[in-house]
Amino acid sequence: MKVIALHEQERDIIRRAAENNRHAQQKIYNKYAPKMLGVCRQYIKDLHQAEDIMITAFMKVFTNLRNFEHKGSFEGWIRRIMVNECISCLRVQKKTGFLEDEFYVEDTFNNIESHFSVEDIQSLIDNLPEGYKMVFNLYAIEGYKHQEIAEMLGISEGTSKSQLSHARKMLQEQVNKFKNYENGTEY
């Protein structure tokens, strides 16, 4: 039985894709597209628009493959390109508004009831104002720090914290409203 070094195989595919080998590029696309569509969908409400942005971002991936230094994960590198492309798209559409609010409350919003489906949770996030949604996704989903978010979005660190706090509060209100509706206590 022959053991194949998966990391070396991935390096070879990346190298060939960087040399414009369409078969290697297709392998990369097929492997990462489903997950990256999910990433784009977190920021972009419309599925078709999210798919268009993902395809545009993959073009940037293939154009910049020579810049990938094999430091860190390849998937993480692709994911960062996807997130940046979503942010750029929202900026161009001017759909993102940030309230310059330095006041924030550190609260806990760690467990959404387990009976919520992924679609339910995504729907709750989709109902957030774009600024809240973007900061929430960057912080809670992508794991960026407030300083990084502030730099990416051109806002202050305090505004990032405030947007996250407001997003969490709105999500908690939506969850409570949903639970009250299920329990028959919502009028």
Side-chain angles (χ1 to χ4, degrees):
M1 185 160 105
K2 184 177 179 180
V3 177
I4 299 171
L6 293 177
H7 187 66
E8 288 303 315
Q9 188 178 24
E10 183 178 74
R11 277 182 178 256
D12 183 55
I13 291 171
I14 293 168
R15 180 190 53 75
R16 288 186 292 125
E19 295 168 352
N20 290 323
N21 178 302
R22 299 293 180 225
H23 182 67
Q25 289 175 343
Q26 187 67 46
K27 278 187 171 186
I28 290 171
Y29 181 84
N30 289 344
K31 180 176 180 180
Y32 295 105
K35 192 177 282 188
M36 294 306 128
L37 180 58
V39 169
C40 292
R41 180 59 190 84
Q42 290 171 334
Y43 295 88
I44 309 299
K45 193 173 189 174
D46 180 66
L47 178 62
H48 298 294
Q49 185 182 10
E51 189 173 21
D52 289 345
I53 291 168
M54 179 197 69
I55 291 168
T56 301
F58 264 111
M59 293 303 296
K60 289 183 179 182
V61 166
F62 295 134
T63 301
N64 294 295
L65 268 177
R66 294 183 194 282
N67 298 333
F68 179 64
E69 298 174 351
H70 299 278
K71 296 177 182 173
S73 80
F74 183 56
E75 181 179 328
W77 184 77
I78 293 173
R79 185 181 193 98
R80 186 172 192 102
I81 292 171
M82 295 292 158
V83 169
N84 287 335
E85 189 64 24
C86 290
I87 291 170
S88 294
C89 179
L90 289 170
R91 273 194 187 131
V92 167
Q93 294 174 352
K94 297 189 187 317
K95 285 189 174 183
T96 308
F98 297 101
L99 299 174
E100 288 296 327
D101 181 5
E102 296 293 325
F103 176 77
Y104 69 95
V105 177
E106 203 51 54
D107 54 4
T108 57
F109 184 73
N110 294 331
N111 60 343
I112 292 181
E113 299 296 317
S114 60
H115 66 274
F116 279 91
S117 70
V118 172
E119 291 80 17
D120 291 338
I121 295 168
Q122 185 63 55
S123 178
L124 292 174
I125 294 170
D126 283 342
N127 288 331
L128 294 173
E130 290 298 326
Y132 293 2
K133 180 169 118 177
M134 191 176 303
V135 171
F136 179 83
N137 282 329
L138 289 169
Y139 185 86
I141 310 285
E142 303 297 333
Y144 287 104
K145 305 273 187 258
H146 286 293
Q147 182 179 355
E148 295 171 308
I149 295 169
E151 290 171 13
M152 290 172 77
L153 301 178
I155 59 177
S156 73
E157 195 172 331
T159 298
S160 176
K161 290 177 181 180
S162 172
Q163 296 285 299
L164 177 64
S165 177
H166 291 305
R168 286 177 168 170
K169 183 178 179 189
M170 281 186 79
L171 287 171
Q172 188 64 57
E173 288 170 358
Q174 289 180 20
V175 167
N176 289 339
K177 191 173 184 178
F178 183 79
K179 287 191 322 193
N180 288 341
Y181 179 78
E182 276 191 334
N183 295 333
T185 57
E186 180 72 20
Y187 297 101

